Amino acid sequence: MSLKGKRVLLGVTASIAAYKSAFLIRLLVKAGAEVQVVMTTSAFDFITPLTLATLSKRPVLSKFQKDETGTWNNHVDLGLWADLMLVAPLSANTLSKFAHGSCDNLLTAVYLSARCPVMLAPAMDLDMYQHPAVQNSLAKMKAFGHIVLDAETGELASGLSGQGRMMEPEHILQAVSDYFSKSKDFAGKKVLITMGPTQEAIDPVRFISNHSSGKMGMAIVKAFLARGAEVYAVSGPTKLTFPKEVNTTQVKSAQEMFEACQTIHAQMDICVFAAAVADYKPAEVAPQKIKKSSSKLELTLTKNVDIALTLGKAKSAHQIHVGFALETENESRFAKQKLTKKNFDLIVLNSLRDEGAGFQIDTNKVSIIHASGLSSESELLPKSQIAELILDEIKNVPVWI
């Protein structure tokens, strides 16, 4: 495996597993990576900076100030330099700081400044690893979109045996290699993603909408972007901030979303219809605010354009269309009907009946159904991980293969 030209920022924290960092550095350097080590000062008790500096061929950094002249180690520059920030071993103490945004040393400052992907290899004793506080912090890391390398099972420093051992250096190297090998597997592909709700005006101050936050769509946007795609997002109103690399079109109504999608649809290789588009809109929009004049207000609604259905009819042989279905009953049957009707290659089904899945939250649980009949189900996972599953399933579509 080759990591030639890849820049890895390796964080080392206070854990008996810190001795394994020496082996990990040697493996990374041998694979061609440039490695910059940042240690917590507490980690000095477990392995010397001299050892890691010798193996990485770079001075180990641990403090903000380099010398008495005021020269300093710029945590922002370090975060920008790296292609990957890898913390191995990650102690319970540093994990908690990461999860809560604490910043009292160079490593935590680099973490909070890093724009690159973050990979974490926790290491601690069995009971510490299983403690709800630690598991909650690990869940936060996953929700932040970080890659968490689950601790391995075996003999621990305490003499106990169980889960808590830092993943072995050879296995971490494989995880790093796998990350970089797949990170650009959508390079050269143009991807359209619709996301968020639509708002259908009743009058100048009121509208019909839904509870969509756009979080699932944003997770898909970021996943495609990280894996090399040229991303076009057409978004209804959300509070989310888009990466500057994304070609973003902000819309409000279903008609505006349709027109924005129709303009670029033919140029796309992959279209993901993740938006919660209103099925109906008021037949007439009042030119002025409607005043309260009686105990009832009746609205006549008319159907909106079905964006996925209309563009599905125009889909060319090389294009892949991915749909979403949110159901509350007969979920699988309704999803399969939508899959066929709208000419999707696969559809992502989630149910409001699954606790922890649905609108406004950071987790989801889905079934992914292919037109070929292939299907898979996920556990309840952060939406960032669900997005990765969706991208992996897109690569199983016959058009892609």
Side-chain angles (χ1 to χ4, degrees):
M1 64 184 68
S2 175
L3 298 176
K4 186 176 181 180
K6 300 302 182 184
R7 296 173 171 179
V8 178
L9 190 63
L10 178 63
V12 179
T13 69
S15 165
I16 189 63
Y19 79 90
K20 295 183 181 180
S21 300
F23 299 99
L24 177 58
I25 292 169
R26 172 163 281 182
L27 291 172
L28 291 168
V29 171
K30 187 176 180 180
E34 297 179 52
V35 180
Q36 175 62 65
V37 178
V38 180
M39 297 178 70
T40 63
T41 54
S42 297
F44 294 178
D45 293 334
F46 297 91
I47 192 166
T48 67
L50 177 60
T51 299
L52 302 189
T54 302
L55 293 170
S56 65
K57 301 178 176 62
R58 288 171 174 267
V60 167
L61 307 180
S62 60
K63 297 180 179 179
F64 288 101
Q65 188 169 315
K66 290 183 180 179
D67 53 44
E68 294 179 357
T69 67
T71 305
W72 66 303
N73 295 310
N74 191 322
H75 59 283
V76 175
D77 286 347
L78 287 167
L80 292 173
W81 172 84
D83 296 309
L84 176 71
M85 182 175 183
L86 168 63
V87 184
L90 173 64
S91 66
N93 183 46
T94 299
L95 168 63
S96 179
K97 291 178 182 179
F98 284 178
H100 295 91
S102 298
C103 183
D104 63 354
N105 58 39
L106 181 61
L107 180 60
T108 53
V110 171
Y111 165 72
L112 291 175
S113 301
R115 295 187 182 179
C116 61
V118 175
M119 183 179 288
L120 306 169
M124 60 199 75
D125 203 66
L126 170 67
D127 295 315
M128 293 174 66
Y129 188 74
Q130 292 181 341
H131 194 282
V134 169
Q135 289 300 311
N136 183 56
S137 292
L138 289 172
K140 280 190 176 184
M141 294 294 97
K142 294 176 182 179
F144 291 165
H146 302 332
I147 303 165
V148 176
L149 306 178
D150 292 335
E152 295 184 347
T153 300
E155 186 177 349
L156 304 169
S158 65
L160 298 174
S161 183
Q163 189 176 16
R165 292 170 59 96
M166 185 181 88
M167 181 178 282
E168 292 301 321
E170 296 84 356
H171 299 164
I172 294 175
L173 177 67
Q174 186 62 57
V176 172
S177 178
D178 289 346
Y179 167 76
F180 281 119
S181 66
K182 83 169 188 176
S183 65
K184 302 300 176 187
D185 53 359
F186 285 89
K189 300 295 184 182
K190 291 186 176 182
V191 182
L192 166 64
I193 301 160
T194 69
M195 55 178 283
T198 62
Q199 295 178 353
E200 311 302 327
I202 297 172
D203 62 22
V205 299
R206 302 182 181 91
F207 54 81
I208 297 171
S209 190
N210 56 61
H211 296 293
S212 174
S213 64
K215 288 184 176 182
M216 189 69 249
M218 181 60 80
I220 296 170
V221 165
K222 290 181 176 180
F224 271 117
L225 194 63
R227 290 168 70 166
E230 183 178 343
V231 179
Y232 294 77
V234 179
S235 176
T238 74
K239 297 179 180 179
L240 304 175
T241 301
F242 286 84
K244 62 180 183 299
E245 300 90 344
V246 177
N247 302 281
T248 307
T249 302
Q250 301 276 6
V251 299
K252 287 188 176 181
S253 69
Q255 184 62 34
E256 290 173 352
M257 183 172 284
F258 169 67
E259 291 171 1
C261 292
Q262 188 179 44
T263 300
I264 60 174
H265 174 257
Q267 307 166 34
M268 298 296 112
D269 298 296
I270 302 167
C271 298
V272 180
F273 299 97
V277 183
D279 294 323
Y280 293 90
K281 63 181 178 181
E284 295 183 3
V285 180
Q288 303 295 332
K289 178 182 176 181
I290 300 173
K291 299 296 184 180
K292 288 185 288 186
S293 58
S294 66
S295 60
K296 287 186 178 181
L297 174 64
E298 294 185 357
L299 295 175
T300 300
L301 303 180
T302 185
K303 265 191 175 183
N304 265 322
V305 59
D306 190 320
I307 300 172
L309 176 65
T310 304
L311 296 181
K313 293 177 180 178
K315 186 175 78 166
S316 62
H318 80 279
Q319 289 180 310
I320 295 173
H321 279 201
V322 179
F324 273 72
L326 177 65
E327 304 293 346
T328 58
E329 60 178 349
N330 299 317
E331 292 96 337
S332 181
R333 178 164 64 88
F334 288 147
K336 289 176 181 178
Q337 289 175 355
K338 185 180 288 188
L339 174 72
T340 302
K341 180 181 178 181
K342 300 192 178 185
N343 199 19
F344 291 140
D345 294 281
L346 60 90
I347 193 164
V348 181
L349 167 65
N350 47 224
S351 170
L352 283 179
R353 295 196 297 178
D354 290 325
E355 186 176 352
F359 294 128
Q360 303 287 337
I361 52 181
D362 295 319
T363 55
N364 208 351
K365 180 181 179 182
V366 302
S367 299
I368 302 175
I369 307 169
H370 289 254
S372 63
L374 181 71
S375 65
S376 61
E377 293 186 6
S378 78
E379 300 297 325
L380 183 68
L381 296 169
K383 286 181 176 177
S384 58
Q385 290 184 246
I386 295 292
E388 294 292 345
L389 293 178
I390 294 169
L391 268 62
D392 291 342
E393 288 295 333
I394 287 172
K395 294 178 66 178
N396 290 326
V397 173
V399 172
W400 179 279
I401 298 169

